[in-house]
Amino acid sequence: EVQLVESGGGLVQPGGSLRLSCAASGFTFSTYWMHWVRQAPGKGLVWVSRINGDGSRINYADSVKGRFTISRDNAKNTLYLQMNSLRAEDTGVYYCARSYFYVSGSFAFDIWGQGTMVSVSS
Amino acid sequence: QSVLTQPPSASGAPGQRVTISCSGSSSNIGSETVNWYQQLPGTAPKLLIYGNNQRPSGVPDRFSGSKFGTSASLAISELQSEDEADYYCATWDDSLHGWVFGGGTKLTVL
């Protein structure tokens, strides 16, 4: 079964750090772009970052640039998000998602994890 | 403020047809394909439409998508109670070099 399972969320003080993990199974992890998407409580989805299959291409949303680092370990089939200098506005559920390239020439997030909650508060 | 603009809410009676709009610009919808996601309460998002109008395997043909210029639409026909969810449009933005989502539309089945 194709599956993504996030972990590592929790309560952290402003200015603190947290590392999220996303364990992939059921597919050839190293051949897919992977993404982090977050959702503040009661709010909409916001894309955070992406990384290509071999880790050589990375993009970030402006709101996290310089504070968050995305990475992957293809030997462990795991995606990571290192979050530093956390702010209250970083609070929310963090989802990892697989990006699939369809024959029609389109990319879409076809597989999502269940999410892990990050709370930034003193 | 989201880069893509959706109405915050939509509603319809069972059996009716509803449409949800998504407005963008030349750097996103105008030059890229649009995807739609459904998020049922308390669950992760699910891909509903990709490539403007393609349905992944398992998505009923009651759901359809379209795009014209810098706007896109999701249509849901024969509304059912289980369609009550939040719906999000998304696409790549060439100026921001990132993916962008609409603010989401909460669909209520009356």
Side-chain angles (χ1 to χ4, degrees):
Chain A
E1 179 191 5
V2 176
Q3 196 173 10
L4 297 171
V5 179
E6 301 95 335
S7 61
L11 175 63
V12 61
Q13 291 188 337
S17 298
L18 213 53
R19 189 176 85 152
L20 306 183
S21 299
C22 170
S25 60
F27 64 99
T28 307
F29 179 69
S30 62
T31 64
Y32 290 90
W33 283 87
M34 296 296 296
H35 303 252
W36 287 99
V37 176
R38 69 184 180 185
Q39 186 170 34
K43 302 297 184 182
L45 302 172
V46 176
W47 176 81
V48 173
S49 181
R50 71 169 184 170
I51 185 169
N52 71 335
D54 64 8
S56 62
R57 294 170 63 186
I58 288 172
N59 297 96
Y60 297 98
D62 286 344
S63 58
V64 306
K65 207 170 291 184
R67 300 187 300 122
F68 289 12
T69 302
I70 191 172
S71 63
R72 64 192 300 160
D73 185 335
N74 289 339
K76 295 183 178 179
N77 289 339
T78 302
L79 175 72
Y80 302 101
L81 186 67
Q82 176 65 44
M83 304 186 295
N84 298 331
S85 303
L86 281 162
R87 307 166 180 166
E89 53 265 36
D90 295 319
T91 293
V93 176
Y94 284 70
Y95 296 100
C96 64
R98 184 181 83 169
S99 183
Y100 187 85
F101 183 68
Y102 289 90
V103 172
S104 60
S106 308
F107 277 101
F109 305 153
D110 68 326
I111 304 295
W112 295 68
Q114 86 289 350
T116 186
M117 182 68 198
V118 172
S119 296
V120 184
S121 174
S122 54
Chain B
Q1 197 78 354
S2 301
V3 173
L4 305 180
T5 301
Q6 296 180 235
S9 64
S11 63
Q16 285 190 331
R17 181 178 185 270
V18 296
T19 60
I20 297 171
S21 63
C22 175
S23 177
S25 68
S26 59
S27 66
N28 42 66
I29 294 179
S31 53
E32 303 288 341
T33 58
V34 177
N35 305 321
W36 289 89
Y37 299 89
Q38 177 193 59
Q39 188 176 32
L40 298 170
T43 69
K46 168 192 167 186
L47 179 62
L48 204 59
I49 297 287
Y50 68 90
N52 300 328
N53 54 21
Q54 304 297 304
R55 285 185 307 277
S57 174
V59 173
D61 59 6
R62 302 186 296 105
F63 294 90
S64 62
S66 63
K67 189 188 98 165
F68 185 77
T70 59
S71 293
S73 290
L74 172 70
I76 309 172
S77 60
E78 301 171 19
L79 261 183
Q80 300 178 4
S81 57
E82 58 259 39
D83 297 334
E84 201 160 272
D86 293 324
Y87 293 84
Y88 296 90
C89 58
T91 188
W92 176 261
D93 191 291
D94 295 328
S95 296
L96 297 175
H97 287 286
W99 283 85
V100 289
F101 285 90
T105 299
K106 183 176 184 62
L107 174 65
T108 300
V109 180
L110 303 171

